[in-house]
Amino acid sequence: MTESERHHDALDALLRASVPEPVADDGFVARTLAAVDQAARSLPAPRRPTPVAPVVLARALATERQRQARRARLWRWAIAGAIAGYFLMLAAMAVAPAGVAIDVPTPSHWAPLALMMALGAIWVAWRELRAN
Amino acid sequence: MVFAENERAEAELAGWLARARQGDRHAFARLVRAHQSRVRLQLRRLARGDVALADDLAQETFVQAWLHLNEFRGDARLATWLHRIALTRFLQHARRPRLPIEWCEPDAEAGPSHDPRAAEGLARDVERALQSLSEIQRLAVVHCFHLDLSHAEAAQVLGLPLGTLKSHLDRAKQRLRGLLDAWNPESAT
């Protein structure tokens, strides 16, 4: 052990020996716990989600029902239109003075139209599916 | 034997801590009782003997500890965490404009007027010698020797790199060795 180390050891012991006496409680713990209680009481209560007013709920429900009814009405009219068109076509064929001759064109003529109609139908179906 | 007692005390503290985390006030009271002396000593040192201020800050320290107990991760001793909160509270207080404490410069002339015959002479001389150190050197000595923290713990409390703390401690001890030389039995012979 060097001279310096010996000096340091002696000094360490001296410093440790000079530790002040422990501080007596003197009611500190009781005062601190009272302060803890006070601090806990003054904390803001955890916020609850704001309840939705019944009138707001009723309004939202009514709007949704109206939207569904509008959509259903639109579909009913679309189907009724298609059926009416079909019967109109039959009626026109029945009253035609010279009879009716159905001339089916070659696929090269009607394929683009059929393709457009198919794409349109798929688009409408997809939109409906997403809307629901 | 002493080691076993220390282990039992640490285990008890850990038990109280676990219960206090669940909101048990009685367990927290035990923790306050176990640590109040050291925290108040630390703050009295920081406040240069202003007992009322030190006790107010100690109370705030424990209130903060209670409110943030769930943030204590347990990777340091509870004492280290409390000392850190205490130091932070003190620094927050010291930054206020109306400061009751004066951070006076070390008095180069101050030296211990030792009286080796009196039992309380050592504490008084060490106290006077500490006053001659710079603030950071004094804090390093107080935390390492009077609060019985390891160097790593003291560095953590003071927010210093370990090497910096050690160098402050070395410089402080060099100065103290000169000032307290009369208390060294080897120099007396």
Side-chain angles (χ1 to χ4, degrees):
Chain A
M1 184 183 280
T2 65
E3 188 66 20
S4 167
E5 282 170 340
R6 196 161 37 239
H7 269 299
H8 272 294
D9 281 350
L11 181 64
D12 285 4
L14 208 61
L15 289 172
R16 288 190 200 286
S18 68
V19 175
E21 290 292 310
V23 182
D25 182 349
D26 291 337
F28 176 82
V29 176
R31 286 196 305 278
T32 301
L33 290 180
V36 163
D37 284 345
Q38 197 178 353
R41 273 199 302 273
S42 64
L43 277 181
R47 293 188 60 174
R48 291 180 185 169
T50 314
V52 183
V55 66
V56 176
L57 276 176
R59 264 190 212 136
L61 203 59
T63 308
E64 179 61 20
R65 277 190 184 148
Q66 284 170 3
R67 197 175 69 84
Q68 294 287 350
R70 204 164 42 242
R71 185 177 297 275
R73 204 162 46 241
L74 189 68
W75 272 108
R76 279 199 300 273
W77 275 107
I79 292 167
I83 292 170
Y86 176 74
F87 280 110
L88 189 63
M89 184 187 74
L90 287 182
M93 285 166 68
V95 298
V100 176
I102 297 175
D103 187 14
V104 179
T106 57
S108 61
H109 287 131
W110 56 262
L113 181 64
L115 184 65
M116 272 179 60
M117 287 177 71
L119 287 175
I122 290 171
W123 178 69
V124 169
W126 174 249
R127 207 179 58 169
E128 286 300 316
L129 192 69
R130 292 288 301 273
N132 290 328
Chain B
M1 190 67 159
V2 174
F3 181 71
E5 274 180 16
N6 282 346
E7 274 209 332
R8 197 167 54 239
E10 287 290 327
E12 265 187 18
L13 280 176
W16 293 337
L17 176 62
R19 284 164 49 195
R21 275 176 192 275
Q22 293 165 353
D24 185 341
R25 273 182 75 261
H26 294 293
F28 186 69
R30 303 293 289 268
L31 291 177
V32 175
R33 201 163 289 125
H35 290 96
Q36 59 92 16
S37 175
R38 288 162 55 115
V39 171
R40 288 165 80 193
L41 271 180
Q42 177 199 20
L43 284 161
R44 283 179 189 191
R45 289 290 188 185
L46 288 166
R48 291 180 179 264
D50 187 337
V51 174
L53 172 65
D55 281 3
D56 283 350
L57 291 175
Q59 198 168 300
E60 288 177 23
T61 299
F62 285 110
V63 170
Q64 287 294 312
W66 168 256
L67 294 177
H68 298 97
L69 206 53
N70 284 326
E71 293 169 23
F72 174 61
R73 295 188 301 271
D75 45 9
R77 281 197 300 156
L78 182 66
T80 310
W81 188 63
L82 289 171
H83 285 311
R84 178 71 195 157
I85 297 175
L87 181 70
T88 307
R89 293 300 301 162
F90 175 76
L91 292 177
Q92 283 171 350
H93 177 87
R95 285 193 194 111
R96 287 178 189 164
R98 285 187 296 279
L99 192 60
I101 311 149
E102 290 179 4
W103 289 75
C104 53
E105 289 297 313
D107 182 3
E109 297 299 315
S113 59
H114 63 275
D115 179 8
R117 289 167 300 178
E120 66 274 18
L122 171 63
R124 195 174 58 237
D125 280 2
V126 168
E127 185 57 41
R128 290 195 62 177
L130 285 176
Q131 296 304 322
S132 71
L133 300 177
S134 73
E135 193 62 41
I136 192 67
Q137 288 173 357
R138 193 165 61 88
L139 289 179
V141 171
V142 165
H143 282 78
C144 288
F145 291 100
H146 290 179
L147 300 178
D148 200 27
L149 298 176
S150 69
H151 288 183
E153 287 172 331
Q156 197 180 348
V157 170
L158 295 172
L160 296 173
L162 184 57
T164 309
L165 176 101
K166 283 182 176 174
S167 85
H168 283 308
L169 207 54
D170 277 345
R171 260 176 270 157
K173 283 162 77 174
Q174 274 174 16
R175 184 164 173 80
L176 289 174
R177 198 169 52 186
L179 292 170
L180 298 171
D181 200 36
W183 285 96
N184 185 0
E186 288 177 14
S187 69
T189 53

